[in-house]
Amino acid sequence: SDIVNNLITTKEGYALDARQGEALDGKITELKKSVSDGKSAIASAITNEGVSTASDASFETMVENIGKIFGTVNYRNFRNR
């Protein structure tokens, strides 16, 4: 079995070198931070429009709170668009 030390090989039959665990962990951490920062920005914008929203609120809560601003959107309708 061949071993690769990168995250871009797509050829079947290759195993990922254990050193890539750290690289994957770093990418997951970056992704989590990006989502967290985005949620904070969205929550702040919603709160600035008069509907208090926590930065760690679920996306469902954020969509519902946006609906409160516009009076038309709810999570179920938004998901089914």
Side-chain angles (χ1 to χ4, degrees):
S1 170
D2 292 315
I3 298 174
V4 295
N5 187 21
N6 66 63
L7 295 175
I8 58 171
T9 300
T10 58
K11 190 171 180 183
E12 185 178 332
Y14 284 81
L16 191 61
D17 188 280
R19 292 173 286 184
Q20 289 304 313
E22 184 176 358
L24 286 170
D25 184 59
K27 291 189 178 297
I28 291 168
T29 298
E30 283 178 32
L31 179 62
K32 285 180 179 180
K33 180 168 180 2
S34 177
V35 170
S36 178
D37 290 351
K39 285 181 80 172
S40 291
I42 292 168
S44 179
I46 296 168
T47 299
N48 288 341
E49 290 297 321
V51 181
S52 181
T53 305
S55 62
D56 62 350
S58 69
F59 286 113
E60 179 177 0
T61 296
M62 289 185 179
V63 169
E64 289 173 357
N65 287 354
I66 291 168
K68 291 175 185 175
I69 295 168
F70 295 103
T72 58
V73 179
N74 67 50
Y75 183 71
R76 185 167 288 122
N77 290 341
F78 183 79
R79 280 189 34 198
N80 294 329
R81 287 183 179 187

